[in-house]
C-alpha cells in the first residue's frame, strides 16, 4: 500500500534528526529562551523583512489558533472565518471553548473575499441594536486553505486593506504555508504576508519537522505579553529549543522551500494525470492536496494499492477523492500512482 | 559553569533519538492512533496492573493538567490543591481559564493530608447555603511535590479513601513521578498509584524524553470521550507516534526507572555533603530536588562555578537554594559540586 | 403614535402590582427560598402534571438560556439550534461565552424537524474521527419561535422521540409560551411539553409580568445542584419572592392564559385585515407576532401613526413588517390598526 | 420573631411601588434605552460631578461584578481582592467562570491597603519568569466591606494613587454603598469615589429598591462597548425602565441617603447597647451590620425572639453574631432588641 493520505505520516527531515542528536546534551534554558529559538526567529524576521516582528513557536496548529484568537478578541467579539475553516469544523470547538463565536462566511473553495467580509461587518455595525449580536473582531484565513486553494497577492491585499479600514486584525493559518509558496501561480512572498497580515504562522508539522508552527506577530499591539497567553493555554514547550532547532535547520539554507517544492512537483504530476484522463476537480488546487472527481469504480480500483481519502460523494456514480503529497513523497511512489491513473 | 538548575535542560536519552531516527520514514496514522502508542499503552497497563486503564499522551504538564481538570469538574466545581501546587501558582491561571477555581489548602512542604481535604469538604457541605460557594469537585496532588517531597503509601491511601468516601476524584500530577518511585523510603509502586488515584500521569519531559506525559485514567467514568477533550484543548499531537515511541523506549525494559535512579543517586550525594556541613533543609526531600539552607556567602561562592536557583530568602544571612539533578546528571559533575560543598 | 413594536413595552398586569404592594413589608428569606416561590412552583407542577418537576425562576430569557445550556452540556459538546434561534443570533454570543458552540440547522420559519436533528447527529457519530468535531449535546428550540410559528404535538413528539433515542436533551425556550398555548391550532398543553421536553420555561416577561421566566426541569439528571449554576451566572435574585409573587398571581387562577389570549385575539384581527387586503406573510404565524409583506408605500403610510418593525426587505417594492401584540394590547388600538390597514 | 438577619428581606420603598404603578402602562423602549434610565443616569452623573460618566443598571451584585471584571481584565490577568471579598467566597466562582483568577490578599476586617496591593503587584513584576504566573490586572474592593467596615478618604486615596501608578483599574463593589456614606466617621462623598475609582456601583437592592445596582464607569477606556458585555452575560433587563424608575425615585430628592441613614441610626443603637454591656466586636463596623461577640447563652436567649446570624464561633463559650439593620428597620423593633440586650 502506497500512502497519499496526509502530509504528517512520517517523521522529520533527516537533517533535523541529525541536529537534534548533535545538540542533545547541550544545556539550554527552557521555554524557548534559548539560542536556537533566537536563531530561528532571526531567520524568520529576515524572511519577513521585519526586524521588529515577534516570533513564537507552537507544537501544533489547533493550539496556535486558539491561543492567537483568544489573545486578540475582546470577550464579546467573534472571529470571521470561511465555514470550511479549520477552526470552524475541525478543532472540536476549541475557539468556542475560549469564549468566542466563529462567524462564518459561506465558501465553496475555502477562500473568503474582501467583499464578503465587508458585508458581514457592515451588517453588524448598521444594525440598530448591535450590542445584541456578536461583534466581528478579527478575520481568520488559511493559506493554502483546507481545500488546497491559495490567495493571490491581489486578493490578499484587498482583504488586508478592508480589514485595516474596519479595524479587523487579519490572521493567517499557515499550517501548510510552504506548499502555497511553492505552488505554480503563487505571487506572494513571506514578506508580503508579513506586511498584509497582523499575525500568521509558518507551519512545519506538515513540512519537514517532527512538529512546529512558527508564529509571527507583526502588529505591535498584539505582541505585548504574548508569552502569558502561550503559557496559560499549556502551549509553552519546556524544551523549547526543540522548536528552535527544527526551524533553524529548515530556514537556515532554504530547506523548507526545497522540500515544499517536492510536494508540489509530485502533486502536479498527479494532477496532470487526472486531467489527461478528463477528470474534473472538486477544487482548483495548485498545492499538495488534489481533489479529482473519479467514477466510483476507478476510486475503488485505485484503493487496492493506494491509500487516500474519499473526500465527498459527488453523485451516485462519482466521488471526489483527495491525494495528498508531502515534503517526503518519493518520485517513485508518485510515478506508481500516475501510472495507475493512466491505466484506469 | 556546571548546571544544577532544572531537570529539562538537555534533550533526550540517546536510545530515544536512535529509535526516532530508525522509524523516521515509517508511515503511521496520526493523532496517537498508531502502533507505537499502543505498545507504550500496553507497557503502562502492565505497570498499572490494569488492563482496562485508558492511556493518553500529552506533550507537557500544564496542558495535561488543564485538560484533565476541565474534563472532570462540573462548571460550579473547583479543584482542591496545596497552595503551593503547580496549577495554583505556576500555570498562568490555566485552570481558571477553563472556568474553575483552585481551592487551596495551606501547605509547608507541598503535600496535603486527608484531614485537610476532609475539613475543606465538610466546611462546604455543612454550609447552610452551599450553592453560593464553589463546590469541591476533585483533588489535585503532585508526586513528588514541587518541593521534592513524596507521599507514603499510608498517606496516599488515606487520601484516596477519603476522596472516595466523599466522591472526590483524585488526580496525581506525576511530572516527576520516576524520581518519587526511585526515592529512598518510597513504598509506592505504579500499580498502587493506579489503584489509589482516579487519574495520574507518568512524566517523561523531565525524565529522559524530549517531551511527554503519559496520562492514565483508571476510573471508568472519566474515560468516555476523553479524546474530544484532548483535541479541544489543542493537545492532540499530529504525529502522535513521537509520544508512543518515546514511552515505548522508556518503559520497554525499565529504562525510565534506571535513569530516574541516576538522578536520585546524584541528589543523595549532594544531600549528604550538605548534611555533613551541618546545613539544614527547607524541605525534607528524598528526590532529585534538594533545598539546603546556606549562609549567603557560601551560596555566592558556589554560584561562581555552579548554576542553581536561589529559592527563598530564609533570613538576612541565609538563603535556601535548589540543586536539581536529572536523568542525565553525570557522576563527574556531581562530584565537583560535592567537593565544592565540602570545601566551603 | 400607537405601538405594535414589541411585547415588553409596558409594566405588569395590575394584579401583580397590587400583590407586590400588599406583600411589600413582609419579611421573607432571600434567593427564592420563600413561600411565594413555593406556591408558584406548586401551580407549575400541577400544570405540568409532574410533582417531581424542579422549578426555578429567572429574571430574563438570555440568562435562563445560558444557565441551562451551560449546565447540561459537557465541555466538548454543542447545542443544536435553528440558525434563526435566539441563542444563535441575538444573545451576543452568550452561549459561546460559556464555552460551547451553537450547531445550526437552516430554518426558514424558525422551526427545526426531527429529520434535521437526525441528520446532524448521524453526520457526527458516523464521522470516522468524531473527536475532531464538536459533539451534538442537546437540542434548543423556541416555542413560539422567533418568527411566531409553533410546533404541533406531532412535530414535538417526533422531535422528542428522536432526541431520547440519541440521548440529546431537549430544551424549549418558552419566552412567549403563553402565546403559543393560546394560538389557534395549538394542540399542546403544558403537561405535554413537560413530558416531551427535558427542560423548558414559561415566559412571563412578555406576558404580564415585570420580568420572569419559570424554568421547569423534568428530567432528574439535570435537577441536581441546579442552584449552583443559577448563582454562578449571577442569576439568583436576592429578593426572589418578586418572581414567586408574580408567577403566583399569573398562574393561580389562569390569568396567564387569559391575557395571552388577548394578544392572540388582537393579532388575529390584524392578520385577517392583512389577508383581506391580499397581503402575503413572511411566516405562517398563529401567534402574537404577524409578519405581513406590504408594498413599501403602505408600510410608510402606516408608519405615520403606528410604530412597528421593518423586519426584512423582500424586494425593491415590498417589505415584510412585524406587528407585535401583547397581553395588554387594547381592542381600541387594534381596531385603529385594522381600520388603517383596510383603508390602504 | 423580629428579624435582623439581612437587609433584603422586604420589598421596596413605597414611593417606588407608587411610581411603578403610576407609570405601568406607559410604553417605553426596552433594554434601558428609556427616559427613566436617562433621568436616573442624570442624577448619578450629578452626584459624581462627572458629566461624562457612563451609567448602566444591573439587577444584582454578582452579575454586576462578573460583567465588570470580565470586561476589564485581559485573559491572563486576575483580580486582586481581599480573601474575604464577596467575589472570592460567595459567588460560586462566578469570576473564575469567566476565566479569571481571584488573587487574594489576607484581610481581617475585609479591607485591603495600598501597601498590600503594592506587595502583590511587585512580587509579580519582579519575578524573573512572570509569564508563568497570573498577572494582577485590577483591584476589587467592597465598601462597606462584607464585614461592615469602611474606607476613609485617606485610605481610598492611597489605594487609588497606587493603582494608577501601576496601571491597575480600581473597582468598588458598592452593594451597600449608602450605608457607608451614612456611617459615622465617613468622609467620602460619591464624587470622591467617582474620582478615585475607575468603576463602582451604587447598590439599591439592599437600600430601598426591589432590586438594582447602578454602575458608574468614570474611566474612558472601560466605557466602550459596555452594553455588549451586559447583554452577553444575560444582564440586560428587557424592561430596563424598572431600574431607571427605581433609581430616579431614590436619587431625585435624596431618598436613598435618608433611608440609608435610618439603617445606621438603628445599628448605632444596637451597637451602643452592646458596648454598654461590655461586649467586644469581631469587626469595628460603623455601618448597618454589627458583629458583637456574645456569651453563647446570651446568643441563645436572644434567638428566642430575634432572628440573626451566628457569624463565627470565637471560643467554646463565645460566638460572634451579626445584627443587620436596613432601610426599613423600625425604631420599635430596634428598641425591642436594645431592651433585650440590656436585660441580658
Amino acid at each position: 500500500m502506497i500512502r497519499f493520505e496526509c502530509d504528517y505520516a512520517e517523521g522529520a527531515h533527516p537533517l533535523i534528526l541529525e541536529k537534534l542528536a548533535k545538540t542533545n546534551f547541550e544545556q539550554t534554558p527552557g521555554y524557548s529562551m534559548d539560542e536556537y529559538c533566537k536563531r530561528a526567529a532571526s531567520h524568520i524576521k529576515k524572511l519577513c523583512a521585519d526586524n521588529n516582528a515577534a516570533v513564537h513557536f507552537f507544537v501544533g496548529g489547533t493550539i496556535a489558533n486558539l491561543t492567537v484568537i483568544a489573545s486578540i478578541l475582546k470577550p464579546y467579539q467573534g472571529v470571521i472565518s470561511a465555514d470550511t475553516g479549520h477552526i470552524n469544523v475541525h478543532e472540536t470547538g476549541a475557539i468556542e471553548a475560549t469564549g468566542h463565536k466563529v462567524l462564518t462566511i459561506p465558501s465553496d473553495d475555502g477562500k473568503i473575499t474582501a467583499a464578503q467580509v465587508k458585508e458581514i461587518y457592515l451588517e453588524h455595525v448598521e444594525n440598530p441594536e448591535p450590542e445584541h449580536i456578536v461583534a466581528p473582531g478579527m478575520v481568520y484565513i488559511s493559506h493554502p486553505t483546507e481545500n488546497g486553494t491559495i490567495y493571490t497577492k491581489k486578493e490578499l491585499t484587498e482583504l488586508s486593506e478592508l480589514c485595516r479600514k474596519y479595524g479587523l486584525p487579519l490572521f493567517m493559518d499557515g499550517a501548510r504555508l510552504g506548499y502555497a509558496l511553492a505552488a505554480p501561480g503563487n505571487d506572494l512572498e513571506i514578506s508580503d504576508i508579513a506586511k498584509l497580515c497582523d499575525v500568521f504562522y509558518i507551519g512545519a508539522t506538515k513540512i519537514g519537522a517532527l512538529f512546529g508552527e512558527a508564529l509571527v506577530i507583526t502588529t505591535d499591539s498584539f505582541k505585548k505579553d504574548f508569552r502569558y497567553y502561550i503559557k496559560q493555554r499549556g502551549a509553552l514547550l519546556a524544551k523549547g529549543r526543540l522548536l528552535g532547532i527544527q526551524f533553524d535547520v529548515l530556514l537556515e539554507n532554504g530547506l523548507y522551500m526545497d522540500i515544499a517544492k517536492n510536494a508540489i512537483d509530485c502533486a502536479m504530476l498527479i494532477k496532470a494525470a487526472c486531467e489527461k484522463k478528463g477528470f474534473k476537480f472538486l477544487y482548483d488546487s495548485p498545492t499538495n492536496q488534489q481533489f479529482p472527481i473519479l467514477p466510483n469504480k476507478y476510486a475503488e480500483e485505485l484503493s487496492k494499492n493506494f491509500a487516500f481519502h474519499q473526500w465527498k460523494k459527488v453523485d451516485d456514480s462519482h466521488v471526489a477523492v483527495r491525494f495528498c503529497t508531502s515534503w517526503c513523497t518519493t518520485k517513485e511512489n508518485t510515478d506508481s500512482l500516475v501510472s495507475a491513473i493512466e491505466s484506469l
Side-chain angles (χ1 to χ4, degrees), chain A residues 12-31:
Chain A
H13 193 279
L15 286 176
I16 283 180
L17 295 185
E18 262 179 45
K19 190 66 170 280
L20 288 177
K22 198 173 146 193
T23 59
N24 190 49
F25 285 107
E26 290 182 19
Q27 290 189 313
T28 58
Y31 307 115

Side-chain angles (χ1 to χ4, degrees), chain A residues 75 93 96 117 127 134 144-145 174 185 190 204 228 239 242 261 299 322:
Chain A
E96 290 82 1
V117 173
N127 188 301
V134 176
T145 67
I190 289 186
Y228 283 89
K239 300 181 183 175
L242 301 178
K261 185 72 169 41
R322 184 182 78 163

Side-chain angles (χ1 to χ4, degrees), chain A residues 63-74 77-80 87 91 95 98 100-102 138-140 171 226 233:
Chain A
I63 200 159
N65 289 338
L66 75 89
T67 302
V68 168
I69 290 169
S71 81
I72 289 180
L73 292 180
K74 290 179 191 134
Q77 295 178 327
V79 54
I80 294 172
I87 57 168
E91 300 185 357
I95 302 307
T98 71
H100 301 286
K101 194 178 190 75
V102 181
M138 68 185 291
V139 174
Y140 163 94
F171 168 41
F226 195 78
R233 300 300 174 181

Side-chain angles (χ1 to χ4, degrees), chain A residues 258-292:
Chain A
D258 292 345
I259 61 178
K261 185 72 169 41
N262 174 70
I264 301 302
D265 291 345
C266 297
M268 291 306 107
L269 292 172
I270 297 166
K271 185 179 191 180
C274 290
E275 283 172 337
K276 220 164 70 184
K277 294 292 283 189
F279 300 152
K280 301 217 159 136
F281 290 80
L282 193 61
Y283 317 113
D284 182 21
S285 162
T287 61
N288 73 314
Q289 302 180 81
Q290 293 297 320
F291 302 86

Side-chain angles (χ1 to χ4, degrees), chain A residues 29 122 163 290 294 319:
Chain A
L122 290 183
C163 284
Q290 293 297 320
L294 308 184
V319 64

